[in-house]
Amino acid sequence: MTQQQTKDTGGRDRQATPMPTDMNARELARWTWRQVTSMRTALVLLLLLALAAIPGSIVPQEDVDSIGASRWRDAHPKLTPVYEKLDLFSVYDSPWFSAIYILLMISLVGCIVPRTLVYWRALRSRPPAAPRNLARLPEHAAYTTTDDPGDVVTRAAAELKRRRYRVVVGEDSVSAEKGYLREAGNLVFHLSVLVVLVGFALGGMFGYKGGVIVVVGSGFSNDLTQYDDFVPGSLFKGEDLEPFSFTVKDFEVDWLTEGPRAGMARKFVSTLDYQESPDSETKTYDLRVNHPLTIGSTDIFLIGHGYAPVITVKDGKGDVTYSGPTIFLPTDQTFQSFGVVPARFAKPKQIGLEGEFYPTFALGDGLPRSSFGDLVNPLLSMLVYTGDLGTGDSVYVLDKTDATPVLKANGQPFRLDMRPGDEIDLPDGLGSVSFDGIERWNKIQISRTPGKLVALAGVVMALVGLLGSLFIRPRRVWVRTRRSESGETVVDIGALDRSNGGDPERGELELAGIMETMQKTGEDAT
Amino acid sequence: MSNASWEALSNQAVAACGVVYFLALLAHLVQWAGLRRLAADETVTTGRTAMAGRLGVLLTVIAVGIHAVALLGRGMAADPNRVPWGNMYEFTLAGTFFVALLYLLFLRRFALEWMGPLVVALVLSLLMLAVVWLYEPVAPLTEALYSYWLVIHVVSAVIATGAFTLGGICSVLYLLKERSKADRGYLARVPELASLDRISYRMHAFGFPVWTFAVLITGPIWAHQAWSSYWNWDPKEVWAFITWVVYAAYLHARATAGWKGRNAAIVALVGLATLWFNFIGINFFSSSSQHSYAAPVTPAVVRIDPAPSEAPL
């Protein structure tokens, strides 16, 4: 068994060679290579990889759950620096995680290359000659017959060939072997791991992932400036973006109003008009969850939706300084949403609004809340600020450091509670706010993952290799004849199952089958 | 039949198959109580003890049949009809079904009679846990689950889980039997160590490719369709990967390092622990997992993406 040999020599060498401290550079290099490529190391590395993957499932990961990660940081100020040193917020990109799998890859290559050579030789070699004493083999059977030994050998060879063995006929014996593909499967499996990694790496280097919120009715063209968030691969270039564009024509949701999941939204359909390039024809696609739109090698996904109240702000002079659908982000399943309006150009003073949108407004326990996600009783409830609103790094946050809340005459904060169509004047001649209607928005995820088919081919290859290496049973069978003292022919059959699973019953059955056919064909001949 | 009556049928079938599993357990207990008095190498083919054993298997067959009805009822009760593994309760129902079914299918082939009481007891306790703690009324699935990959991905994961669980039972018994010197009683009657080790290996050899298919092929394909990325390092994915790696190590150890018996059994049990932790644990410990279908009101979040926007769908 080739693997067995690899391991055995490894073991012997470890004992024979001196400790690493006594070696010169070359010996040390060889010793290191042996250690890294030994089976035991591969095993330890595999288990280490499993162990190393655990922290990433416990500590929130920056790439997976960045909000969770920042919340965790706030909650554990003392541990955070330590965790950051250990890369615990991005385990799967960390040097120590990479070190484990790179070592594993080296170990893998160091294992496959020599084994492929051994396998190549084994493929071309003949089944080994019959051992002297077949009775010593784990599977053995014998019978006595009056047939001529030469006939027995011929028949044995024919029977073993029929059973798809590779057969070598000797003078008084037959050697046969089958199941060569097991090792091939094994090698393919190991090789496929490399293929998967290459596919994965391609995606990481040349791919990208971006998100954009599009108000229903408006459009998007694939350009870096249009994205809200964009995570490029390490070697990604902006000009690799494909020149498509689309418009969200319509968006439909089905709200469940009864049953255990009442309040849940389903059957999201976003109707897109899209063009693969500026001068190609316009096509339509119904974008749904689980049904991304693929344009070229880019995939477009519908991953979220929400409300965008249309708000208009007029300043003290009566000029419109802000107008349009404003994206409010849902904070829970009832689509109670949060949003801000910064009217920075309002005169004489800037006007900022911050507050909630309730699609179905209700008072629960005396607190305002939304009781349903659909637009049954929409209400916009916002506080008003004035002063310097800053430059505005995010369109979802109002910078209130230099702004003051606008108060009512009684000193309470001035709050706008508006239904669609309402217009309210602000105190102190600041201006007025109107709530003109409600639009919807879609969060669209756009990503390109080159190498995904390479990775897929890799895992499929792995599965095929795995099946071969687990279920093909390499076996050797020998048949030997000799004349007994009484002149009869004694036929010995021995077999060696070289698969580690072993299935003694099936082996016995096969042996019995071989013997039976040989005896029967013998009788037919006589 | 209306959806409500399908659901009622399913609930009654779960209760009924629980009772029948319990009767099967009793029958097996009678059998093994009888066998205790005999020497380990003595086999019984007639009389009350043998009868009890056969009755146990027969009752298990009936229970599995009713179990299937329970699953069918869950699927038919949903609107639109769907596969009955949309939440933890249903997944446990399906998982235990496949454990019991695989046991029956392998019963002859691997001479698993000795495993009867263990499988039945395990299935029965898991069913009780499911009914007490995980029960949920039939509900429509979240949008992301409407995909034919739900059938392929989950059914392969469940079958692999069943096979690994049976393999794990063999490994536990290996470790117990190894320490036992009893010449009669249950441990003396389970197959010899080498054969336990072999059955365990073959269960794992069957389960591992199925698991590979579930976790590394259908999982990523579906993840790509639903979440826009085929591998997200989602906690459930991470643990499925960990399970895969541990079982790969198990097969590797057996194939090349010649680790049979004790060490292999220990690795197999570590694998089983990660598998079940992934199934039950992650859903309760990790709130960020996109595989969280455990909460009574499933958050309608397909994906919470990194800033700037959080957008439940």
Side-chain angles (χ1 to χ4, degrees):
Chain A
M1 197 179 265
T2 52
Q3 313 95 297
Q4 206 69 48
Q5 281 158 9
T6 324
K7 181 231 155 193
D8 285 347
T9 37
R12 228 176 295 130
D13 278 345
R14 240 199 310 284
Q15 283 169 0
T17 47
M19 289 303 289
T21 40
D22 309 330
M23 298 175 195
N24 64 30
R26 209 174 136 207
E27 279 169 353
L28 186 69
R30 269 184 65 168
W31 180 84
T32 314
W33 177 249
R34 282 248 169 77
Q35 294 296 312
V36 170
T37 57
S38 84
M39 284 296 156
R40 200 160 308 186
T41 312
L43 258 181
V44 171
L45 285 172
L46 260 178
L47 291 174
L48 212 57
L49 187 70
L51 211 61
I54 295 178
S57 72
I58 298 167
V59 182
Q61 296 295 291
E62 196 64 61
D63 295 346
V64 179
D65 180 13
S66 65
I67 297 156
S70 56
R71 240 181 248 147
W72 200 96
R73 283 195 176 103
D74 292 343
H76 305 85
K78 278 196 181 147
L79 275 177
T80 300
V82 182
Y83 274 39
E84 267 172 358
K85 271 246 161 66
L86 294 173
D87 292 310
L88 286 182
F89 296 110
S90 53
V91 167
Y92 308 109
D93 305 325
S94 70
W96 53 269
F97 190 77
S98 318
I100 296 173
Y101 75 73
I102 290 172
L103 272 177
L104 195 60
M105 287 311 119
I106 295 174
S107 161
L108 200 75
V109 173
C111 175
I112 323 182
V113 173
R115 273 173 70 175
T116 312
L117 295 177
V118 170
Y119 178 60
W120 180 246
R121 263 178 260 133
L123 259 189
R124 302 197 306 169
S125 67
R126 295 145 59 92
R132 187 164 309 161
N133 191 352
L134 290 181
R136 276 200 193 151
L137 288 169
E139 297 168 36
H140 172 252
Y143 70 95
T144 318
T145 173
T146 49
D147 298 342
D148 178 62
D151 289 351
V152 172
V153 166
T154 325
R155 282 204 302 272
E159 168 65 6
L160 286 167
K161 262 188 200 141
R162 192 183 66 80
R163 287 180 183 261
R164 317 190 120 217
Y165 277 85
R166 185 184 284 190
V167 177
V168 174
V169 182
E171 201 174 311
D172 58 351
S173 68
V174 179
S175 312
E177 183 167 14
K178 76 167 175 186
Y180 291 87
L181 279 178
R182 182 195 192 84
E183 178 66 359
N186 216 335
L187 291 171
V188 165
F189 175 74
H190 284 80
L191 201 66
S192 71
V193 177
L194 295 178
V195 175
V196 172
L197 269 183
V198 168
F200 207 75
L202 281 177
M205 285 190 289
F206 298 102
Y208 72 87
K209 192 166 169 174
V212 59
I213 289 183
V214 183
V215 174
V216 175
S218 50
F220 170 88
S221 61
N222 196 22
D223 183 281
L224 270 182
T225 56
Q226 298 239 341
Y227 282 93
D228 293 334
D229 56 288
F230 192 83
V231 186
S234 48
L235 296 177
F236 177 80
K237 291 193 216 71
E239 58 261 36
D240 294 345
L241 287 173
E242 286 173 278
F244 62 83
S245 60
F246 61 80
T247 307
V248 182
K249 293 303 262 192
D250 192 19
F251 177 64
E252 275 175 40
V253 183
D254 193 14
W255 295 94
L256 295 179
T257 52
E258 53 184 21
R261 291 280 157 82
M264 190 172 93
R266 272 199 332 181
K267 296 186 183 155
F268 318 95
V269 184
S270 187
T271 309
L272 298 188
D273 277 355
Y274 70 97
Q275 282 179 294
E276 298 193 3
S277 64
D279 30 63
S280 63
E281 54 169 331
T282 306
K283 293 179 207 159
T284 304
Y285 187 82
D286 285 341
L287 193 63
R288 288 177 294 152
V289 178
N290 275 323
H291 298 272
L293 164 64
T294 303
I295 298 176
S297 57
T298 308
D299 296 309
I300 296 164
F301 304 84
L302 171 65
I303 63 163
H305 68 116
Y307 293 106
V310 183
I311 298 170
T312 303
V313 179
K314 288 185 189 152
D315 66 7
K317 295 176 175 171
D319 295 332
V320 173
T321 55
Y322 180 98
S323 182
T326 308
I327 287 159
F328 275 55
L329 300 180
T331 50
D332 63 18
Q333 221 193 335
T334 65
F335 278 77
Q336 178 172 332
S337 310
F338 177 85
V340 302
V341 171
R344 290 203 182 78
F345 302 108
K347 290 186 178 115
K349 280 178 171 171
Q350 296 185 9
I351 301 168
L353 308 178
E354 181 190 82
E356 311 276 344
F357 173 70
Y358 308 94
T360 301
F361 177 74
L363 282 172
D365 304 327
L367 292 170
R369 61 188 191 92
S370 175
S371 61
F372 191 51
D374 203 3
L375 294 173
V376 176
N377 180 23
L379 182 91
L380 186 66
S381 176
M382 303 190 91
L383 294 174
V384 186
Y385 295 85
T386 182
D388 185 0
L389 297 174
T391 48
D393 292 329
S394 164
V395 290
Y396 305 109
V397 182
L398 195 67
D399 181 0
K400 296 179 300 219
T401 22
D402 298 318
T404 49
V406 173
L407 303 175
K408 288 193 281 195
N410 64 4
Q412 293 289 312
F414 183 83
R415 202 174 73 211
L416 296 165
D417 284 323
M418 309 172 85
R419 296 188 187 277
D422 287 355
E423 176 161 9
I424 296 182
D425 288 331
L426 299 175
D428 311 330
L430 279 170
S432 68
V433 176
S434 63
F435 178 17
D436 309 325
I438 303 156
E439 303 261 0
R440 322 192 65 140
W441 54 260
N442 283 172
K443 169 102 198 248
I444 307 277
Q445 177 101 358
I446 298 167
S447 72
R448 211 175 78 178
T449 325
K452 67 184 174 208
L453 291 178
V454 177
L456 182 63
V459 283
V460 171
M461 226 172 103
L463 188 62
V464 172
L466 195 61
L467 291 174
S469 77
L470 287 174
F471 299 115
I472 292 175
R473 315 169 58 78
R475 278 173 71 78
R476 284 179 183 160
V477 175
W478 294 278
V479 178
R480 186 194 287 283
T481 57
R482 64 187 155 86
R483 288 261 184 217
S484 71
E485 283 162 21
S486 57
E488 287 177 313
T489 307
V490 179
V491 185
D492 273 308
I493 310 171
L496 182 64
D497 194 305
R498 301 171 74 232
S499 63
N500 49 65
D503 186 353
E505 279 168 40
R506 224 158 97 183
E508 270 168 39
L509 275 177
E510 194 199 41
L511 218 58
I514 294 173
M515 200 159 82
E516 197 185 334
T517 333
M518 280 171 60
Q519 281 172 315
K520 208 158 67 192
T521 41
E523 281 158 24
D524 293 349
T526 50
Chain B
M1 265 166 89
S2 74
N3 286 341
S5 49
W6 276 114
E7 187 171 357
L9 174 73
S10 169
N11 292 344
Q12 285 159 1
V14 170
C17 79
V19 171
V20 181
Y21 277 125
F22 181 66
L23 293 176
L25 179 63
L26 286 184
H28 279 303
L29 290 180
V30 169
Q31 173 198 13
W32 285 95
L35 289 173
R36 258 186 90 80
R37 283 185 236 114
L38 306 171
D41 50 356
E42 211 172 318
T43 49
V44 183
T45 49
T46 54
R48 222 175 57 184
T49 306
M51 179 74 174
R54 281 199 292 273
L55 186 65
V57 173
L58 179 70
L59 285 170
T60 312
V61 172
I62 296 172
V64 168
I66 306 174
H67 204 151
V69 172
L71 281 175
L72 180 77
R74 287 293 288 195
M76 297 297 285
D79 180 32
N81 292 342
R82 58 172 166 84
V83 285
W85 39 82
N87 55 41
M88 294 284 285
Y89 171 71
E90 291 173 355
F91 194 91
T92 313
L93 219 56
T96 46
F97 173 75
F98 278 103
V99 170
L101 185 70
L102 286 177
Y103 153 73
L104 289 177
L105 291 178
F106 290 141
L107 183 63
R108 278 286 171 77
R109 176 117 192 254
F110 296 130
L112 295 182
E113 286 83 12
W114 57 272
M115 215 193 241
L118 296 178
V119 170
V120 174
L122 180 77
V123 167
L124 182 62
S125 2
L126 286 174
L127 271 182
M128 287 199 289
L129 289 184
V131 170
V132 175
W133 280 328
L134 302 173
Y135 181 77
E136 272 180 62
V138 174
L141 297 177
T142 41
E143 190 75 0
L145 291 184
Y146 280 103
S147 168
Y148 50 85
W149 292 109
L150 177 66
V151 183
I152 306 167
H153 174 64
V154 181
V155 88
S156 48
V158 174
I159 290 176
T161 304
F164 284 145
T165 304
L166 292 181
I169 292 178
C170 295
S171 296
V172 169
L173 279 168
Y174 182 97
L175 294 178
L176 289 178
K177 190 177 168 103
E178 197 192 23
R179 316 183 83 197
S180 144
K181 293 192 181 73
D183 57 353
R184 53 184 63 198
Y186 186 72
L187 281 180
R189 275 187 175 270
V190 301
E192 45 164 2
L193 286 177
S195 136
L196 274 179
D197 186 48
R198 203 167 49 235
I199 299 172
S200 170
Y201 168 77
R202 296 185 60 188
M203 293 288 172
H204 287 106
F206 168 74
F208 190 68
V210 182
W211 186 247
T212 306
F213 178 71
V215 166
L216 298 181
I217 296 182
T218 61
I221 291 177
W222 190 11
H224 177 258
Q225 285 186 0
W227 303 328
S228 81
S229 167
Y230 64 82
W231 191 264
N232 302 290
W233 295 110
D234 177 80
K236 200 119 191 163
E237 286 174 2
V238 172
W239 278 91
F241 173 70
I242 291 171
T243 303
W244 189 85
V245 168
V246 173
Y247 280 122
Y250 167 85
L251 293 175
H252 198 284
R254 276 201 57 122
T256 57
W259 273 22
K260 292 201 174 174
R262 189 145 188 264
N263 289 344
I266 291 171
V267 177
L269 288 179
V270 172
L272 192 65
T274 64
L275 179 74
W276 280 91
F277 173 74
N278 190 21
F279 171 39
I280 306 269
I282 282 297
N283 292 52
F284 290 106
F285 294 124
S286 168
S287 54
S288 66
S289 172
Q290 300 178 73
H291 281 86
S292 298
Y293 305 117
V297 176
T298 310
V301 176
V302 164
R303 185 183 169 82
I304 295 183
D305 219 59
S309 70
E310 253 179 289
L313 185 75

